[in-house]
């Protein structure tokens, strides 16, 4: 995570207004800011008292991470440029081009009954029709499941579009599972080099 430099020991920390439960508002110190996928968190120090030795009471500070802007507000006229700040890493060029990607893997939703031909469906792991907490299958396991009698590939989540080309290709000699390989006739130009 990219960060700004930490504050110098003699650097004055900046004030921030903190909204407490029950509607109270206090001024606290802002120690750091952190950007997270779900929003910003601010590391604040709220002034409090603590019991000291004997019957003494001492000034202290309670530090906690809070959500911004839910729990904090800026103090008018205060600059927050010097607050140590951690930013989310910038997305890679691949992530920028492709955008968000779905989780990998598939699950098999079995239909009721016993024995061969009982049916079911292969879904992407994030399909709304996929069973909760089902075992995530690799490509080969999903293709094996899809070849069982009565099992279909879900078209709602795209498992059909994603897996169907692989299931058709599984009969070619370059598949990793040679038990399903079938001989293919090649023309002479395919066999000649260059």
């Amino acid at each position: 995570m990219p960060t700004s430099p930490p504050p110098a020991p003699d650097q004055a920390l900046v004030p921030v207004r903190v909204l407490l439960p029950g509607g109270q508002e206090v001024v606290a110190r802002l120690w750091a800011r952190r950007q997270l996928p779900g929003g910003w968190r601010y590391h604040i120090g709220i002034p409090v008292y603590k019991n000291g030795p004997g019957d003494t009471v001492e000034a202290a500070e309670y530090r906690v991470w809070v959500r911004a802007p839910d729990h904090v507000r800026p103090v008018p006229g205060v600059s927050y440029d010097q607050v140590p700040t951690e930013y989310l890493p910038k997305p890679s060029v691949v992530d920028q081009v492709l955008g968000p990607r779905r989780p990998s893997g598939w699950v098999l939703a079995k239909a009721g009954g016993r024995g061969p031909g009982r049916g079911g469906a292969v879904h992407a792991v994030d399909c709304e029709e996929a069973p909760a907490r089902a075992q995530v299958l690799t490509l080969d396991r999903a293709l094996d499941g899809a070849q069982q009698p009565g099992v279909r590939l879900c078209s709602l989540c795209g498992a059909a579009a994603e897996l169907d080309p692989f299931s058709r290709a599984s009969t070619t000699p370059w598949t990793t599972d040679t038990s399903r390989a079938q001989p293919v006739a090649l023309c002479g130009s395919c066999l000649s080099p260059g």
Side-chain angles (χ1 to χ4, degrees):
M1 219 178 247
T3 61
S4 60
D10 60 346
Q11 178 181 343
L13 296 172
V14 296
V16 66
R17 292 183 0 233
V18 178
L19 307 173
L20 298 176
Q24 288 182 314
E25 187 175 297
V26 296
V27 176
R29 289 184 175 185
L30 180 57
W31 288 95
R33 301 180 289 190
R34 180 178 293 157
Q35 186 182 24
L36 300 174
W40 284 90
R41 301 294 185 270
Y42 280 33
H43 191 209
I44 60 164
I46 300 174
V48 295
Y49 291 107
K50 70 175 185 176
N51 293 331
D55 283 342
T56 63
V57 176
E58 301 172 351
E61 185 176 65
Y62 175 74
R63 292 190 187 182
V64 63
W65 286 94
V66 295
R67 289 187 184 99
D70 299 346
H71 304 117
V72 292
R73 302 282 188 272
V75 173
V78 173
S79 171
Y80 294 93
D81 294 339
Q82 299 303 315
V83 176
T85 305
E86 294 180 25
Y87 296 94
L88 283 174
K90 292 183 180 180
S92 70
V93 174
V94 172
D95 290 338
Q96 290 176 12
V97 172
L98 295 178
R101 289 174 274 183
R102 70 185 319 164
S104 62
W106 294 270
V107 295
L108 176 62
K110 298 177 183 175
R114 293 180 170 252
R118 66 179 175 211
V122 176
H123 300 277
V125 291
D126 61 345
C127 180
E128 62 186 47
E129 298 292 323
R133 294 184 285 285
Q135 178 183 1
V136 178
L137 305 174
T138 63
L139 174 62
D140 286 336
R141 297 280 313 271
L143 291 172
D144 289 343
Q147 291 179 351
Q148 299 302 314
V151 173
R152 65 177 181 81
L153 298 173
C154 178
S155 57
L156 176 68
C157 64
E162 294 172 5
L163 294 175
D164 191 46
F166 288 105
S167 65
R168 291 181 195 185
S170 67
T171 59
T172 61
W174 56 81
T175 182
T176 57
D177 184 355
T178 56
S179 67
R180 295 186 285 201
Q182 295 179 0
V184 174
L186 300 174
C187 65
S189 62
C190 294
L191 298 174
S192 61

